[in-house]
Amino acid sequence: MDSNGSLRASPWARSPSLSSSASGLSSDPLSFQGFGLQHNQHKWDDPSNSDYGISAEVPFKEFNQPSQTQSPLPCNSNNEIEIPDQENCHMSESSQTSALQDWDPSVMLNNLSFLEEKIHQLQDLVHLIARQKGIGQPNELVTQEQQLVTTDLTSIIIQLISTAGSLLPSVRHNLVNTSSLVGQIDQLRGTTIPSGTGASSSCIQQQNNGGKKVSDQSMQTDIPNNFEMEQNHNVGEQEFKDEEDADDGENLAPGSYEILQLEKEEILAPHTHFCTICGKGFKRDANLRMHMRGHGDEYKTPAALAKPHKESGSPKLIKRYSCPYPGCKRNKEHKKFQPLKTILCVKNHYKRTHCDKSYTCSRCNTKKFSVMADLKTHEKHCGKDKWLCSCGTTFSRKDKLFGHIALFQGHTPAIPLDDTKGVAEPPIHDSKENSNKAQSVNFTFGSPNPSNEVQNVMDVKGNSDDPISYFSSLNFEANFGAYNEFTRPLFDDSEGSFSFVMPGSFKSGGEPSSDNLL
Amino acid sequence: MLSQSIFCLLTEDLLIRVLHKLGSDRKQWRLVCKEFLRVESVTRKSIQILRIEFLLRLLDKFCNIETLDLSLCPRIEDGVVSVLLSQGSASWTRGLRRLVLSRATGLGHAGLEMLIRACPMLEAVDVSHCWGYGDREAAALSCAVKLRELNLDKCLGVTDIGLAKIAVVCGKLERLSLKWCLEITDLGIDLLCKKCLDLKFLDISYLKVTSESLRSIASLLKLEAFVMVGCSLVDDVGLRFLEKGCPLLKAIHVSRCDCVSSSGLISVISGHGGLEQLDAGYCLSELSAPLVKCLENLKQLRIIRIDGVRVSDFILQTIGANCKSLVELGLSKCVGVTNKGIMQLVSGCGNLKILDLTCCRFISVAAISTIADSCPDLVCLKLESCDMVTENCLYQLGLNCSLLEELDLTDCSGIDDIALRYLSRCSKLVRLKLGLCTNISDIGLAHIACNCPKMTELDLYRCVRIGDDGLAALTSGCKRLTKLNLSYCNRITDRGLDYISHLDELSDLELRGLSNITSIGIRAVAVSCKRLADLDLKHCEKIDDSGFWALAFYSQNLRQINMSYCIVSDMVLCLLMGNLKRLQDAKLVCLSKVTVKGLEVALRTSCGRIKKVKLQRSLRVLLSSEMLETLHARGCKIRWD
């Protein structure tokens, strides 16, 4: 989430405090206005400036540029407004930056008045503390509120310091350190603030949130803060969606954005961040920063390790990227040019579209990819739940396969060959059959001749040492081919062994057989 | 020789014509002379095999058959198929249209495919209860391109993939039953409905499908009958899809669908005014007023079953007043059925043939006499557990319902010998259930025996006063009995069994818990009742080895036997299991004299034929796993008690 997101959230966060005037803080119009201004300031931000300097300069710009009347409104920050806003910014960009760089007494004056205002806020806060002490409140509440107040105090003090620092141009560079300090304070505060209790405290929180935002946005510390998370959540989602939507049909007017085109080598370079000392390359800046720690203590400071603030907050032209491959739709020379949004998009696009697919899936050995991440995604699903059509197409999902089958005449799902069931022919069958071959089928079971009975008994007894093979029904199966010879002596028995069924009478109950022949 | 000269005048086509007129007595015809035999053989259209040993020869003789039914000897295996197809001309396959392979669990996909590919005209296949069948077998079935009718009931392994194979290839399918194919989901049904547009009958009972499937099914324009028993995931939303779809729907069966309510049924009914059959048992707690109002519009309704629903007199009256063409009414276990309600109902439905009032305990003589008066066509009446049914009721039935064929009086304690005498006026009785009617004796049975010669099924379960004399009368009067239940009629002795042995057509005999019968009686039955297929001897503890010997040698048609708690030795058990080549189902629990080894040998001897065995749970660890696996692999299911 970039600073835009958090900024846009701020009016939401603050709007309830507008109506509620319970706390002395929120009823202070000055402080309110100040935050409103800060809210807008990012649009004028100059990348070369440190954040605190900018926030100090905001009031100035505000007053000096009445044409930007819509910006101080705290609730103006929806997307529609934003874009023209930014465009406006770009037009006046050069003049503004130059004005900021100059040593301007009016700027100083402005800053001083801002300082004054902040000091007033401080006073109010202290008043508040004093008043609270007067009223006998439960201890817990008091301590909680004191914590809130102190956090507010710190944020105001930080603003004071930063604004004061901006009075001297030379101080700016050192401010990075203070900002990291602020970061720490911020972190502390983030953990100590409880969720809103009571009307007054919630007001303070709201206020507090707005104030904190200044530091937050300026520092780009990604330290999660309770309120921040909560309140920006919705906004974040919304924004995310916007981005996705924009991915395909982003209707940026030609010329409303800056087109960058990286060279092929640049795109394919494995590393983008290089150590200035030893030259080692890294894919991520964070890794580089971690690496830098080994080069000396000066790289171990929190400031050095902190994520450098992005330039995205600056009022610049939107950046869009062009693919260096001539003729590609993503190439800026193309008639229907569709720009790529980020560098990552460029990289993935270029690899996927214009490079060899060098990564082969080790499982199926057929699917190839040019982007490692794609391979990994594929490998997660490769092999399992493969839904196969008779035409050879495979699907990861069953419903997709069925959709395919429904669509194409004659296509049927293929049954994978590996899971052979072999219900009919178990392996035991053969071995048994062999063992049975030794035995002759001399045992005429089933002959209804009572004289046989005795003989059969004797047979059984005689072979009782190996009754298994003797009785095995497989005798019959083994000799099936020759069952013409496997005769029962009596004609009538063979007649009785089948029955004739009248059409439609399938029930086993009604099977007539010719017993009467016996 | 005189006869020969007469027959010389008859040419073959004349003989064929005569034979066509003959009806069911083809067996006698065959025995007249060789010429008759030959004519019969070539004109025979259907054949049901009892013994696989003679399959090849039979198929050679009857080369023009259209239906081959192997359901009574499901021992067919892949090897058998290859022999069948390789030997001889195999000309019987040319015209074969219908193949019944129910319970042929030993047949694998390879054999099945061979068989089906050999029969180019095949239109109907039944592989129900082949529980081991899966997608491969379904793929084999899909080789029958002309298939119009397929029964896949309880092919447990068939998934959407298998169904898709069939659906894509067999686009002309008209009747399909997928009952208990538990792996099939909405996806499969959806594809089926996209590919098989000619479906007229579809059974998806007990499938784990949702209302989405009904959305697909609603698109079937030719569907006439839809069966959906026990689909607990389908709700009213699904039935609402049917309201707009399936314009030809005539029968719908939604019993035991827990999530279906009155409103769902209303939507189906309001969409199909021509509905003829509605089965909604055990899915509603009561009929709501709007639903009853809807029923009024079903003028063509012929069959309605609303088992287990709370009804009121008003509802029954509404049905009676509006559904004039009602032929069958099922009110089994309905709460709130009164004499008044039934009287109002039947006075409107004069065409009623089948009436099920099982467990409607408040039915008494008033209702029964109205039924007897208004429904002269009544064929089947079920009054199980209707305690208030007395001799007067049967008097009315005997007087008016001369067409009555089936009557269930199980557990009607008011039935006595006099009642049976009245009932015996229904001379067309075919099935009679008198289980738990403890007041009937040999005298009552004699009345029935003398006057109901058509009786084929008789249930005398726990009619403890029935003795040998009753059986003597029964066997002299009801010669055509095929099913007889004498369980726990303890007065029966070997003499009674001797009478039973005169029943030539007897196929099912239950003798459970008869403590006075011995091997002598069983031997008499075994020797004479050649068709005996199902025998229950549980707890007949006086029968010893010689009785089972007799069964092993004489009862060659035995398919099911229950010999739990019997006294049988290892060797005789082995002999029995090995010798009874048609035995499919054996219950062998608690055989005190049988050792584990003996049981194992016995199971081995029947391996390949036997399809179902019930054994003691404690034996599970004692029997060798190799043997159990073999049994399983050859399509035998073991139930552990």
Side-chain angles (χ1 to χ4, degrees):
Chain A
M1 194 179 299
D2 62 1
S3 64
N4 272 358
S6 59
L7 275 167
R8 234 177 283 149
S10 58
W12 292 18
R14 218 167 315 123
S15 46
S17 70
L18 265 174
S19 52
S20 71
S21 54
S23 131
L25 252 182
S26 59
S27 59
D28 184 353
L30 264 177
S31 69
F32 206 59
Q33 199 184 14
F35 291 126
L37 295 173
Q38 280 149 19
H39 156 65
N40 282 308
Q41 57 82 31
H42 75 281
K43 283 159 193 157
W44 323 80
D45 204 351
D46 186 319
S48 67
N49 270 336
S50 93
D51 315 288
Y52 294 102
I54 297 155
S55 60
E57 282 146 18
V58 170
F60 152 64
K61 271 180 275 163
E62 193 57 57
F63 300 141
N64 283 333
Q65 294 198 327
S67 64
Q68 301 285 326
T69 41
Q70 86 273 35
S71 47
L73 294 169
C75 292
N76 66 343
S77 59
N78 42 25
N79 288 336
E80 290 82 31
I81 302 171
E82 202 167 9
I83 293 168
D85 225 16
Q86 284 178 340
E87 280 172 48
N88 281 344
C89 297
H90 280 291
M91 302 208 186
S92 55
E93 187 184 33
S94 55
S95 63
Q96 276 161 17
T97 42
S98 62
L100 286 172
Q101 299 291 348
D102 288 344
W103 182 255
D104 196 339
S106 61
V107 177
M108 277 182 74
L109 251 177
N110 235 323
N111 283 348
L112 283 172
S113 63
F114 180 74
L115 281 176
E116 193 184 320
E117 176 195 311
K118 283 286 156 188
I119 287 166
H120 277 300
Q121 279 185 19
L122 257 181
Q123 280 177 336
D124 283 341
L125 265 177
V126 178
H127 275 305
L128 189 78
I129 297 167
R131 223 182 305 152
Q132 274 178 347
K133 274 184 181 158
I135 307 157
Q137 268 184 334
N139 264 342
E140 253 179 76
L141 266 178
V142 173
T143 47
Q144 275 185 8
E145 283 182 10
Q146 272 177 357
Q147 276 176 348
L148 290 177
V149 171
T150 40
T151 47
D152 267 22
L153 268 177
T154 46
S155 85
I156 292 172
I157 289 166
I158 288 159
Q159 285 172 332
L160 278 175
I161 294 168
S162 59
T163 318
S166 70
L167 291 173
L168 300 171
S170 57
V171 185
R172 278 179 194 164
H173 305 288
N174 296 335
L175 272 171
V176 191
N177 285 337
T178 49
S179 73
S180 70
L181 247 177
V182 174
Q184 282 165 340
I185 295 167
D186 210 35
Q187 195 175 10
L188 247 175
R189 192 186 51 170
T191 50
T192 51
I193 290 175
S195 55
T197 49
S200 67
S201 71
S202 75
C203 280
I204 294 167
Q205 281 161 17
Q206 307 279 14
Q207 189 64 37
N208 165 21
N209 189 46
K212 184 192 60 63
K213 196 131 296 148
V214 179
S215 58
D216 209 26
Q217 130 222 340
S218 58
M219 285 164 37
Q220 296 294 329
T221 45
D222 282 343
I223 298 157
N225 175 291
N226 290 349
F227 294 136
E228 193 74 22
M229 300 290 279
E230 228 174 287
Q231 283 159 344
N232 290 347
H233 195 65
N234 294 331
V235 183
E237 271 180 9
Q238 187 191 346
E239 189 185 46
F240 207 70
K241 217 159 81 186
D242 288 348
E243 244 172 37
E244 277 184 351
D245 288 345
D247 211 36
D248 281 322
E250 194 185 40
N251 289 323
L252 289 175
S256 67
Y257 50 87
E258 183 182 11
I259 299 169
L260 299 175
Q261 184 170 302
L262 282 78
E263 283 315 305
K264 182 188 164 193
E265 290 72 24
E266 222 174 332
I267 291 169
L268 295 179
H271 302 132
T272 45
H273 304 275
F274 296 94
C275 174
T276 46
I277 296 163
C278 67
K280 189 169 184 210
F282 295 91
K283 278 182 184 165
R284 295 187 181 86
D285 186 47
N287 294 353
L288 172 62
R289 272 178 278 139
M290 290 300 119
H291 162 84
M292 293 304 279
R293 289 182 304 178
H295 287 304
D297 285 340
E298 67 264 38
Y299 298 107
K300 288 181 182 169
T301 59
L305 287 171
K307 194 176 177 184
H309 69 273
K310 272 193 198 154
E311 296 165 12
S312 58
S314 62
K316 287 196 71 173
L317 261 178
I318 308 165
K319 278 183 195 156
R320 287 295 179 264
Y321 297 88
S322 157
C323 168
Y325 196 88
C328 174
K329 201 179 180 183
R330 303 293 199 173
N331 184 274
K332 58 188 172 190
E333 308 297 334
H334 194 276
K335 260 187 281 176
K336 293 177 178 174
F337 170 55
Q338 283 192 326
L340 292 152
K341 259 195 142 178
T342 64
I343 297 177
L344 194 68
C345 292
V346 178
K347 284 187 171 184
N348 282 341
H349 160 78
Y350 193 84
K351 284 187 196 163
R352 281 179 187 139
T353 337
H354 311 301
C355 290
D356 288 337
K357 296 180 172 179
S358 49
Y359 303 114
T360 313
C361 172
S362 57
R363 290 198 200 180
C364 61
N365 279 323
T366 48
K367 285 259 182 184
K368 291 181 175 182
F369 302 92
S370 47
V371 178
M372 187 52 127
D374 293 354
L375 172 68
K376 287 192 170 155
T377 315
H378 162 78
E379 276 183 337
K380 266 186 210 163
H381 305 286
C382 181
K384 56 177 161 180
D385 288 337
K386 199 152 224 188
W387 301 99
L388 186 66
C389 176
S390 57
C391 67
T393 323
T394 59
F395 299 87
S396 61
R397 281 165 52 182
K398 192 171 156 191
D399 54 332
K400 299 288 174 199
L401 168 64
F402 274 69
H404 170 85
I405 288 165
L407 200 62
F408 295 98
Q409 209 69 41
H411 288 212
T412 67
I415 297 166
L417 292 164
D418 44 356
D419 61 314
T420 41
K421 277 197 224 150
V423 170
E425 300 292 329
I428 308 142
H429 189 111
D430 296 318
S431 58
K432 266 195 169 177
E433 225 168 281
N434 291 335
S435 72
N436 282 328
K437 270 174 190 163
Q439 306 277 342
S440 60
V441 199
N442 60 349
F443 196 56
T444 51
F445 277 153
S447 154
N449 185 356
S451 67
N452 261 352
E453 208 171 306
V454 186
Q455 201 192 333
N456 283 335
V457 178
M458 294 177 71
D459 271 356
V460 171
K461 279 177 183 161
N463 290 286
S464 58
D465 49 339
D466 187 12
I468 298 174
S469 53
Y470 209 89
F471 285 114
S472 174
S473 64
L474 292 168
N475 274 333
F476 164 63
E477 269 81 21
N479 294 296
F480 185 82
Y483 64 61
N484 282 331
E485 290 86 63
F486 184 75
T487 45
R488 283 159 184 273
L490 300 169
F491 166 71
D492 50 17
D493 194 48
S494 79
E495 286 293 284
S497 62
F498 62 88
S499 72
F500 298 146
V501 180
M502 291 307 112
S505 70
F506 264 73
K507 268 202 82 175
S508 58
E511 41 163 296
S513 71
S514 56
D515 326 309
N516 42 358
L517 291 172
L518 279 169
Chain B
M1 287 301 108
L2 175 72
S3 61
Q4 201 179 13
S5 62
I6 292 169
F7 293 141
C8 281
L9 299 173
L10 295 166
T11 58
E12 187 175 315
D13 57 321
L14 278 175
L15 282 177
I16 291 171
R17 280 182 182 222
V18 175
L19 186 59
H20 270 303
K21 301 271 180 198
L22 214 58
S24 60
D25 284 331
R26 295 176 78 114
K27 195 147 288 168
Q28 272 88 341
W29 169 280
R30 289 169 62 82
L31 296 171
V32 173
C33 69
K34 281 193 173 172
E35 182 61 14
F36 275 36
L37 180 70
R38 198 186 61 77
V39 166
E40 205 274 342
S41 299
V42 292
T43 55
R44 175 162 284 278
K45 293 291 177 208
S46 70
I47 184 168
Q48 192 175 27
I49 309 291
L50 289 190
R51 279 176 211 283
I52 196 127
E53 297 94 305
F54 307 103
L55 180 60
L56 189 57
R57 233 192 294 166
L58 291 174
L59 291 177
D60 268 349
K61 265 190 226 161
F62 302 101
C63 50
N64 291 326
I65 49 162
E66 290 181 356
T67 299
L68 174 61
D69 186 350
L70 293 168
S71 63
L72 295 179
C73 67
R75 287 173 59 198
I76 189 158
E77 294 187 1
D78 289 3
V80 178
V81 170
S82 61
V83 170
L84 277 180
L85 297 177
S86 59
Q87 291 208 349
S89 56
S91 59
W92 56 273
T93 56
R94 272 176 311 163
L96 201 69
R97 289 174 192 274
R98 177 179 289 268
L99 185 58
V100 182
L101 293 168
S102 185
R103 290 179 216 277
T105 46
L107 192 62
H109 62 93
L112 189 63
E113 185 169 340
M114 244 191 296
L115 193 58
I116 283 173
R117 281 193 188 281
C119 305
M121 302 298 286
L122 210 56
E123 284 177 358
V125 178
D126 180 352
V127 290
S128 57
H129 300 282
C130 293
W131 49 270
Y133 277 20
D135 291 342
R136 280 164 198 292
E137 286 76 13
L141 285 171
S142 72
C143 298
V145 190
K146 293 187 176 171
L147 209 61
R148 283 144 75 117
E149 202 174 325
L150 179 60
N151 189 341
L152 286 172
D153 287 0
K154 216 160 191 181
C155 292
L156 295 175
V158 174
T159 69
D160 292 342
I161 300 291
L163 182 61
K165 281 237 160 221
I166 292 167
V168 168
V169 181
C170 313
K172 289 178 181 162
L173 219 53
E174 286 174 11
R175 297 176 65 85
L176 177 63
S177 180
L178 299 170
K179 195 169 166 179
W180 290 112
C181 295
L182 297 176
E183 300 288 320
I184 288 173
T185 67
D186 289 339
L187 270 180
I189 298 291
D190 184 50
L191 188 75
L192 175 75
C193 298
K194 280 180 184 151
K195 296 288 183 183
C196 300
L197 301 173
D198 292 341
L199 273 176
K200 286 181 182 161
F201 171 90
L202 181 61
D203 186 344
I204 60 162
S205 297
Y206 301 101
L207 261 54
K208 298 278 172 275
V209 295
T210 66
S211 296
E212 275 307 299
S213 282
L214 268 70
R215 186 203 292 272
S216 320
I217 288 165
S219 67
L220 293 172
L221 296 176
K222 295 184 181 171
L223 196 70
E224 288 172 8
F226 177 51
V227 183
M228 189 185 75
V229 180
C231 292
S232 51
L233 298 178
V234 177
D235 55 15
D236 294 342
V237 179
L239 290 183
R240 246 164 252 142
F241 291 127
L242 289 186
E243 179 181 359
K244 301 263 159 49
C246 304
L248 299 180
L249 197 68
K250 290 207 164 45
I252 183 161
H253 203 318
V254 294
S255 301
R256 295 176 201 278
C257 294
D258 300 334
C259 292
V260 166
S261 77
S262 289
S263 76
L265 278 179
I266 289 169
S267 47
V268 174
I269 291 170
S270 58
H272 301 93
L275 213 59
E276 288 177 10
Q277 184 174 347
L278 175 66
D279 198 324
Y282 306 109
C283 66
L284 308 173
S285 58
E286 58 186 343
L287 297 182
S288 67
L291 180 57
V292 176
K293 190 114 184 82
C294 263
L295 286 177
E296 286 177 17
N297 302 326
L298 296 178
K299 301 290 181 207
Q300 287 161 350
L301 198 67
R302 296 179 71 245
I303 299 174
I304 181 168
R305 296 190 202 104
I306 45 171
D307 302 352
V309 178
R310 174 182 292 278
V311 293
S312 66
D313 292 349
F314 171 72
I315 291 171
L316 294 179
Q317 189 192 1
T318 314
I319 293 174
N322 294 286
C323 308
K324 293 285 183 197
S325 43
L326 216 57
V327 171
E328 180 178 345
L329 174 63
L331 295 171
S332 169
K333 299 193 181 177
C334 282
V335 184
V337 178
T338 61
N339 278 340
K340 192 181 162 207
I342 290 295
M343 284 153 78
Q344 284 167 338
L345 176 92
V346 293
S347 57
C349 304
N351 298 323
L352 219 55
K353 283 189 174 152
I354 301 173
L355 181 58
D356 185 352
L357 295 172
T358 301
C359 293
C360 297
R361 293 176 183 279
F362 301 105
I363 295 299
S364 67
V365 64
I368 303 284
S369 56
T370 319
I371 291 170
D373 278 340
S374 1
C375 311
D377 297 339
L378 204 66
V379 170
C380 170
L381 180 61
K382 294 186 179 177
L383 295 170
E384 183 183 339
S385 290
C386 295
D387 299 320
M388 292 158 83
V389 170
T390 56
E391 57 219 50
N392 274 340
C393 301
L394 295 195
Y395 176 74
Q396 296 293 336
L397 285 177
L399 211 58
N400 295 307
C401 300
S402 55
L403 297 177
L404 202 64
E405 287 179 11
E406 183 172 354
L407 183 61
D408 187 347
L409 294 169
T410 306
D411 206 9
C412 294
S413 47
I415 301 299
D416 52 16
D417 289 341
I418 302 164
L420 289 188
R421 197 181 79 207
Y422 293 139
L423 180 66
S424 65
R425 295 180 66 169
C426 301
S427 58
K428 292 192 175 169
L429 269 179
V430 172
R431 277 178 290 276
L432 179 60
K433 294 193 173 186
L434 297 168
L436 294 163
C437 295
T438 45
N439 293 324
I440 61 169
S441 70
D442 293 343
I443 300 163
L445 197 58
H447 285 300
I448 297 288
C450 293
N451 297 306
C452 308
K454 292 189 172 174
M455 191 74 76
T456 61
E457 287 181 32
L458 183 61
D459 184 354
L460 297 170
Y461 176 84
R462 280 192 200 274
C463 295
V464 285
R465 291 173 63 196
I466 297 287
D468 296 338
D469 294 335
L471 294 184
L474 187 70
T475 51
S476 63
C478 307
K479 290 262 182 211
R480 296 170 70 177
L481 271 177
T482 58
K483 284 189 175 185
L484 183 59
N485 188 345
L486 297 170
S487 298
Y488 304 106
C489 299
N490 264 323
R491 290 169 64 179
I492 292 170
T493 65
D494 287 340
R495 188 164 66 91
L497 291 191
D498 199 46
Y499 293 127
I500 288 172
S501 68
H502 294 116
L503 297 170
D504 290 333
E505 297 183 22
L506 197 67
S507 69
D508 291 34
L509 181 60
E510 289 194 40
L511 302 172
R512 192 180 282 206
L514 296 189
S515 48
N516 292 321
I517 59 169
T518 67
S519 298
I520 298 163
I522 286 299
R523 190 190 152 85
V525 171
V527 170
S528 305
C529 301
K530 284 289 160 201
R531 294 196 184 177
L532 202 60
D534 188 342
L535 181 62
D536 190 339
L537 295 174
K538 188 175 174 181
H539 282 298
C540 291
E541 282 153 14
K542 277 197 184 164
I543 300 174
D544 59 10
D545 275 356
S546 61
F548 291 105
W549 269 114
L551 286 174
F553 279 100
Y554 296 107
S555 295
Q556 284 298 311
N557 285 323
L558 213 56
R559 275 205 309 273
Q560 281 190 53
I561 189 164
N562 186 349
M563 42 200 287
S564 301
Y565 300 95
C566 283
I567 314 296
V568 63
S569 68
D570 280 356
M571 200 177 18
V572 177
L573 181 67
C574 292
L575 191 64
L576 189 93
M577 298 286 278
N579 205 22
L580 295 177
K581 294 279 192 271
R582 287 187 59 208
L583 198 65
Q584 287 179 40
D585 185 341
K587 297 193 173 72
L588 306 171
V589 183
C590 287
L591 303 174
S592 53
K593 274 176 73 184
V594 173
T595 62
V596 173
K597 188 153 182 281
L599 188 63
E600 191 159 328
V601 174
L603 289 174
R604 266 183 213 282
T605 59
S606 59
C607 181
R609 298 191 295 266
I610 198 105
K611 298 293 172 193
K612 215 169 163 187
V613 184
K614 187 176 175 186
L615 300 171
Q616 260 160 287
R617 187 166 291 277
S618 58
L619 290 173
R620 194 170 194 161
V621 284
L622 299 173
L623 291 167
S624 79
S625 59
E626 173 258 334
M627 199 262 310
L628 295 180
E629 274 165 30
T630 313
L631 276 177
H632 187 267
R634 310 230 11 205
C636 175
K637 220 162 198 173
I638 301 175
R639 211 176 116 203
W640 301 100
D641 185 39

